[in-house]
Amino acid sequence: MIQKIHYVWHVIAKLFSFALFGSFSLLVAVFGFPIMHVFAGFSEKRFKTIARKLNHLFFIIYIKIISFIGCIRVSVENKEALANLRSKVVIANHPSILDVVILFSLVPNADCIVKGDLVKNKFVSLIIRNLYIPNNIPFDDQLELAKKSMEEGNNLIIFPEGTRSKPNEPWEFKKGAARFALYSKNDIIPVFFGGNEKIGIRKHDKILQYHPTERYQYNLKVLDPISVKEFEDVPMTKSAIVLTKKMKDILEAELPNK
């Protein structure tokens, strides 16, 4: 009986969390952006600075709310390494749908590469087009936009897997994250997502699924930076392969069964 009550409560809390996030996106798209454009004097650079600060604040509050209602619990080892981060490529493994939200709450001035399919959503697309880099534009354009963003002090968040990990399957890292770091000549900050199994918010999980016995536990560990200097005189094709393997090995070394 207690387990059933636990399940029902947490499914309701999960649905509320999704509704809260969707409502915020709608409010920002319809009301927030026009107001921020006015305050920014219609300067695109100032607008993006204001909007990123607002997003960062919202994600902090959002994580606090869903932690308070019992959805998640987050702990971060070496959290101070993210506090004043500038012009870095932040990579992480990707076990759940909340990973990007948690990283945005921890990383100031965050930019990211997002799925181009999201542009089809009328309200979400307004946020993406105004702030972030969709992956359905030519890759050379993505590289240039990301480089420019990091030159302004922003940090690029990217998941080398490209999508959420499939449960009980090996990770497959794409070379895109390495190419962004190499092209911009910015070091990489790996972040490992550990904790319990994210049943219900993994890839292909059903909306009414939830962890059967406990809330979602996120144990993050900010790892040592990966320098790209050693790849300066190496052709991009080769260096991207080597760097991608290095990123994967560093994150995989944190897995409990390693």
Side-chain angles (χ1 to χ4, degrees):
M1 184 64 180
I2 293 176
Q3 189 170 334
K4 287 183 179 179
I5 294 172
H6 173 278
Y7 168 77
V8 171
W9 164 246
H10 280 95
V11 167
I12 291 172
K14 173 185 169 182
L15 295 175
F16 168 78
S17 300
F18 288 171
L20 178 63
F21 190 87
S23 299
F24 171 77
S25 299
L26 176 61
L27 288 172
V28 168
V30 176
F31 301 108
F33 278 169
I35 294 172
M36 283 185 276
H37 271 299
V38 172
F39 275 100
F42 298 96
S43 162
E44 182 181 357
K45 185 176 180 179
R46 286 180 62 192
F47 163 77
K48 287 185 176 181
T49 299
I50 294 171
R52 286 196 174 100
K53 286 181 179 178
L54 178 65
N55 271 5
H56 180 57
L57 177 61
F58 164 72
F59 287 125
I60 291 173
I61 295 171
Y62 179 76
I63 292 299
K64 288 183 182 297
I65 291 173
I66 63 176
S67 297
F68 177 76
I69 64 177
C71 281
I72 68 172
R73 184 183 293 112
V74 181
S75 66
V76 186
E77 184 178 337
N78 197 23
K79 182 178 180 179
E80 62 279 1
L82 301 176
N84 298 304
L85 207 61
R86 289 180 62 83
S87 305
K88 296 292 186 290
V89 177
V90 180
I91 66 161
N93 56 310
H94 198 3
S96 81
I97 197 171
L98 288 176
D99 305 334
V100 67
V101 177
I102 293 172
L103 280 180
F104 266 85
S105 75
L106 295 169
V107 178
N109 300 327
D111 201 343
C112 70
I113 309 297
V114 297
K115 286 184 178 180
D117 289 345
L118 293 176
V119 177
K120 296 175 183 177
N121 183 303
K122 183 182 296 185
F123 299 112
V124 175
S125 69
L126 288 173
I127 297 176
I128 292 171
R129 290 199 303 267
N130 277 273
L131 279 181
Y132 306 124
I133 304 169
N135 67 0
N136 62 348
I137 62 174
F139 191 72
D140 287 345
D141 292 344
Q142 294 179 47
L143 289 172
E144 280 295 332
L145 289 172
K147 181 181 178 182
K148 180 182 176 183
S149 180
M150 285 185 277
E151 285 174 350
E152 295 172 354
N154 299 312
N155 302 292
L156 182 70
I157 292 176
I158 184 168
F159 297 98
E161 292 170 272
T163 185
R164 280 173 283 169
S165 312
K166 296 179 181 178
N168 304 315
E169 292 189 16
W171 296 344
E172 294 183 8
F173 278 24
K174 299 178 181 178
K175 297 188 291 292
R179 292 181 65 185
F180 281 111
L182 293 166
Y183 186 80
S184 64
K185 298 182 180 179
N186 288 312
D187 291 345
I188 298 167
I189 307 295
V191 179
F192 176 73
F193 275 79
N196 61 4
E197 190 57 74
K198 306 302 185 292
I199 300 167
I201 50 176
R202 304 170 303 185
K203 192 173 182 64
H204 303 314
D205 280 352
K206 296 178 181 178
I207 188 69
L208 295 182
Q209 280 184 287
Y210 196 86
H211 196 289
T213 60
E214 56 188 348
R215 72 170 71 183
Y216 299 124
Q217 176 68 47
Y218 285 86
N219 299 330
L220 278 66
K221 184 176 182 181
V222 184
L223 305 172
D224 292 335
I226 303 172
S227 175
V228 297
K229 276 191 175 181
E230 62 181 281
F231 300 102
E232 283 183 350
D233 300 319
V234 183
M236 173 75 81
T237 304
K238 181 179 179 180
S239 58
I241 293 172
V242 176
L243 183 55
T244 299
K245 185 179 184 304
K246 186 172 185 177
M247 293 188 298
K248 186 170 181 283
D249 290 344
I250 287 172
L251 287 172
E252 281 187 336
E254 299 298 323
L255 289 169
N257 58 349
K258 290 292 180 177

